[in-house]
Amino acid sequence: MDIKANYVKASILKNNRVVFNICGNRYRLVVEINYKRQWVFIRFIGTHTDYDKINAEKI
């Protein structure tokens, strides 16, 4: 809930993944969050076109 409150356009996915739109949705950032340890792992950074080619819940 805190993520959506601060980043309205972020998308919450399964497997503790969050997708952030960057630069007017030109780029996407996919992170995996370990909420217990408060760690964030970058799983993908790329263009919107590249994002469409991946499975954000599994990378």
Side-chain angles (χ1 to χ4, degrees), residues 41-59:
F41 300 95
I42 296 173
R43 305 302 297 164
F44 172 83
I45 300 173
T47 65
H48 188 98
T49 303
D50 292 336
Y51 172 81
D52 289 340
K53 298 175 186 175
I54 66 163
N55 182 339
E57 293 177 354
K58 294 188 178 186
I59 62 163

Side-chain angles (χ1 to χ4, degrees), residues 2-17:
D2 291 338
I3 292 171
K4 287 297 278 185
N6 291 307
Y7 304 97
V8 178
K9 295 185 178 184
S11 299
I12 309 298
L13 305 178
K14 295 178 185 177
N15 297 328
N16 298 323
R17 306 292 170 101

Side-chain angles (χ1 to χ4, degrees), residues 22-44:
I22 302 173
C23 199
N25 203 24
R26 186 172 173 197
Y27 298 96
R28 295 274 177 106
L29 167 66
V30 179
V31 298
E32 178 181 0
I33 302 175
N34 182 320
Y35 293 98
K36 183 177 179 179
R37 295 184 187 259
Q38 298 183 355
W39 292 349
V40 176
F41 300 95
I42 296 173
R43 305 302 297 164
F44 172 83

